[in-house]
Amino acid sequence: MEKSDERTEVVLLATGSFNPITVMHLRLFELARDHLHSTGNYKVVKGIISPVSDGYKKKGLVEGPHRLSMVQLATQTSDWIKVDPWECLKKDWTETVAVLRHHQQQLEGMNNGGNLDKKSGYRKGNKRKRENCQDVPDHNCSESRGIDIVTRNLAKLVKPQKIIEQDGDSFVIRTLSTLRNYRVQFTLGQEFDEDTKGLDNRKCKSLVTWDNGRLVCVQKGEKKNRGWVHWLDGDDLHLELSCEDQVCRQLYQRVKEAC
């Protein structure tokens, strides 16, 4: 009969700039785990690295996405040490106690079988009027192709906001988030050169047209069957992106802007 494991489960959390991460950062996790295990009272089940945000404003601090990428690469072969981007993607510096509280809630949610809701948002309007909107996530996204794993993982956690401006047949669509921003400007029916720098870093020829009340974009380039469709349904903004045989659907919901 197997003896039950009555040791207290422990999660190790390290905060800091990780500017850049070093071998000794990882060695500290191993030393701490080995010591706790040697007591016979504790069992380390996970290690979390939480890089500080750019709001810390430390001299010489590399931008958050780059530090996250370095930590991701450093821990990609570890089966128990992972990077968490929550703190790093925040605009302002976060007190350590708030970081600890966040991870405690995350772990409690996992233990209770709960799922944390993720919010995102958009703004819709024109040069004279804008309305603030917030996303009700309804994503059905297959695994992205040609996008590195770090970018994919971070994209799942960001809270994007969209601003759509219209002036006749001319449009400007901006996608804003704590990770990166993207802006595309076009005129209906006129093909233009698009550089998706900051997204999947590709160049293509794009053409946007109206089709039964929908903005339809066809993109010609390295990837086949690529494009997107935007349309409104009441207070809901729908976005469907396609690339080869992959489709991603997003649903945003309008929220009244405070006066």
Side-chain angles (χ1 to χ4, degrees):
M1 184 173 181
E2 293 185 3
K3 183 180 179 180
S4 62
D5 192 343
E6 297 180 351
R7 292 177 297 172
T8 301
E9 293 188 342
V10 174
V11 174
L12 301 178
L13 171 66
T15 62
S17 61
F18 299 97
N19 189 53
I21 189 171
T22 67
V23 172
M24 286 310 300
H25 285 128
L26 302 177
R27 183 60 180 150
L28 287 173
F29 275 92
E30 295 173 346
L31 292 172
R33 181 183 62 173
D34 292 345
H35 172 71
L36 290 170
H37 284 180
S38 69
T39 67
N41 298 321
Y42 303 99
K43 177 183 178 181
V44 176
V45 296
K46 187 176 184 180
I48 301 174
I49 297 178
S50 178
V52 73
S53 75
D54 294 344
Y56 186 56
K57 297 182 179 179
K58 176 182 177 180
K59 185 177 180 181
L61 187 67
V62 176
E63 292 183 356
H66 298 299
R67 289 184 286 116
L68 285 171
S69 295
M70 287 188 284
V71 177
Q72 182 74 45
L73 290 171
T75 59
Q76 64 181 353
T77 59
S78 175
D79 59 357
W80 69 283
I81 304 175
K82 304 299 179 184
V83 58
D84 189 290
W86 178 81
E87 178 186 1
C88 192
L89 295 179
K90 295 179 73 65
K91 180 179 180 181
D92 300 319
W93 171 75
T94 306
E95 293 182 345
T96 301
V97 65
V99 178
L100 290 169
R101 188 179 300 116
H102 164 76
H103 288 286
Q104 181 180 8
Q105 293 173 347
Q106 289 278 93
L107 293 169
E108 289 175 349
M110 291 173 61
N111 292 334
N112 295 329
N115 295 318
L116 296 179
D117 292 331
K118 294 183 289 184
K119 299 291 184 181
S120 53
Y122 80 93
R123 285 182 180 172
K124 174 187 174 295
N126 50 43
K127 292 186 176 180
R128 298 179 181 82
K129 181 180 179 182
R130 291 182 179 176
E131 296 173 278
N132 188 28
C133 306
Q134 194 170 28
D135 174 37
V136 176
D138 182 20
H139 306 308
N140 178 20
C141 299
S142 301
E143 182 179 353
S144 302
R145 293 183 175 180
I147 302 176
D148 63 89
I149 188 172
V150 176
T151 301
R152 290 205 307 269
N153 289 338
L154 294 179
K156 296 176 184 178
L157 300 171
V158 297
K159 301 177 181 181
Q161 180 185 68
K162 279 191 176 291
I163 298 177
I164 302 177
E165 299 180 356
Q166 179 183 3
D167 183 10
D169 287 340
S170 298
F171 285 80
V172 176
I173 299 179
R174 288 184 286 162
T175 303
L176 313 176
S177 73
T178 54
L179 175 59
R180 56 190 55 163
N181 300 328
Y182 184 69
R183 179 182 184 274
V184 59
Q185 182 174 1
F186 57 86
T187 299
L188 293 177
Q190 295 183 14
E191 189 175 62
F192 62 99
D193 294 320
E194 184 174 5
D195 186 347
T196 61
K197 184 177 181 180
L199 299 178
D200 60 352
N201 300 314
R202 302 184 189 280
K203 294 182 179 180
C204 56
K205 293 282 188 179
S206 299
L207 176 65
V208 184
T209 58
W210 274 117
D211 183 8
N212 295 323
R214 299 184 175 195
L215 281 177
V216 179
C217 178
V218 175
Q219 298 170 317
K220 299 177 182 178
E222 180 181 344
K223 297 290 183 177
K224 297 180 180 179
N225 301 322
R226 174 171 174 155
W228 52 259
V229 182
H230 257 311
W231 73 93
L232 282 170
D233 182 9
D235 284 339
D236 294 337
L237 172 69
H238 295 261
L239 172 60
E240 183 175 285
L241 305 102
S242 58
C243 183
E244 296 185 334
D245 59 347
Q246 304 296 302
V247 177
C248 175
R249 298 181 180 89
Q250 299 177 0
L251 172 66
Y252 298 84
Q253 195 170 72
R254 183 176 301 165
V255 176
K256 292 183 180 179
E257 190 169 3
C259 297

